[in-house]
Amino acid sequence: MPYRQLKEKTLEMLYRNTHFSKNELDALFTMYRRLVTSAQNAAPTSVIAQPAAKIDGIDQNTFRDVMHNTFDLVTEDVVLDRVWLTWERGVNGGEGALKFEAWARGLSVLLRGTDEEKKSHCFAVYDMNNDGYITRDEMFTLLKNSLLKQPGDEDPDEGVRDLVELVLRKMDIDKDGKLSIEDYKQAVEQEPLLLEAFGQCLPSKRHAAAFIKTLVNK
């Protein structure tokens, strides 16, 4: 039977390691339990009419729903999948459902993260193979998905490639043909609009504030 109350030890630890108050963490936990229960109830039964194994945590479909409907993160699937994969899962990396601690820490960055936390978050999302760099290929994949194709474009890919070169000229501080975390942070420092250069991976301030207000009013 999953616990219904947030354990004091977990509450203390998250209070120290997130930007939420204890009351907000309690409200988040109530919401988390509701999301998990609702996903479990919606899970199809297996072939032999046995209930499927219960998902203990936030699964990817629930995560997408919350990002779309609550935070209006109507971003490209490729970006949303990366946001999902970068959220902490302990030793398993981006596998399995999100437990409450990972959910709270991830939301803390999304809703109240420092500039430094937000830069690290966006960079991790864009670094698709986790090698510490955003390469031309990764930029191409991310930008190709987020740009609308113009009718009559003979080679839309060419426009994307031009844009990649443009972005590199602007952001590749050490001129090695790819973006390191240092390049990225320095470029965003100089031009804050470049934070989400390769696709939206943070909610707007308005949606973040509206969500936080719901926590306080619970």
Side-chain angles (χ1 to χ4, degrees):
M1 178 80 179
Y3 50 87
R4 299 283 166 202
Q5 292 299 312
L6 189 48
K7 289 177 180 167
E8 191 58 39
K9 200 169 81 171
T10 307
L11 182 64
E12 281 299 332
M13 183 269 290
L14 288 172
Y15 177 63
R16 286 196 306 274
N17 294 313
T18 66
H19 303 297
F20 294 123
S21 70
K22 289 187 179 179
N23 283 346
E24 287 169 340
L25 285 164
D26 271 331
L28 271 179
F29 185 71
T30 303
M31 181 185 294
Y32 167 84
R33 288 264 26 116
R34 200 169 62 237
L35 287 167
V36 172
T37 306
S38 143
Q40 288 175 346
N41 293 340
T45 52
S46 65
V47 181
I48 47 172
Q50 292 296 320
K54 294 255 184 219
I55 306 156
D56 186 19
I58 303 263
D59 65 355
Q60 190 168 3
N61 287 336
T62 305
F63 182 84
R64 275 170 177 272
D65 287 349
V66 173
M67 294 298 137
H68 278 313
N69 303 331
T70 307
F71 298 135
D72 199 33
L73 219 63
V74 283
T75 189
E76 293 306 310
D77 283 351
V78 66
V79 175
L80 206 48
D81 287 349
R82 286 297 305 155
V83 174
W84 162 256
L85 286 169
T86 56
W87 280 32
E88 192 186 318
R89 311 284 206 297
V91 290
N92 294 325
E95 295 168 23
L98 283 168
K99 298 285 191 279
F100 178 67
E101 290 86 337
W103 178 241
R105 279 195 285 261
L107 286 179
S108 173
V109 173
L110 243 55
L111 299 167
R112 286 205 178 121
T114 61
D115 286 349
E116 198 59 23
E117 285 174 334
K118 286 180 175 172
K119 285 178 209 162
S120 296
H121 162 73
C122 292
F123 184 86
V125 169
Y126 302 146
D127 175 15
M128 297 173 77
N129 64 353
N130 308 319
D131 69 348
Y133 293 97
I134 307 171
T135 60
R136 275 187 171 85
D137 286 350
E138 287 166 336
M139 289 178 209
F140 181 82
T141 301
L142 291 160
L143 290 171
K144 182 176 179 177
N145 277 286
S146 62
L147 291 175
L148 291 171
K149 292 179 181 52
Q150 296 302 317
D153 270 2
E154 282 179 25
D155 183 8
D157 286 2
E158 196 163 324
V160 180
R161 275 192 286 273
D162 290 346
L163 188 57
V164 166
E165 294 309 317
L166 200 68
V167 173
L168 263 174
R169 276 206 296 279
K170 183 93 177 152
M171 298 182 78
D172 182 14
I173 311 289
D174 61 8
K175 305 294 176 223
D176 64 350
K178 55 190 176 182
L179 297 186
S180 64
I181 183 88
E182 290 77 20
D183 288 334
Y184 174 77
K185 286 181 175 178
Q186 214 174 315
V188 172
E189 200 73 33
Q190 292 166 6
E191 178 45 86
L193 287 174
L194 292 171
L195 178 66
E196 295 180 90
F198 305 109
Q200 187 198 2
C201 45
L202 291 163
S204 68
K205 286 197 172 92
R206 183 167 64 86
H207 282 95
F211 179 79
I212 286 166
K213 202 175 280 183
T214 65
L215 295 181
V216 178
N217 294 338
K218 282 195 188 304

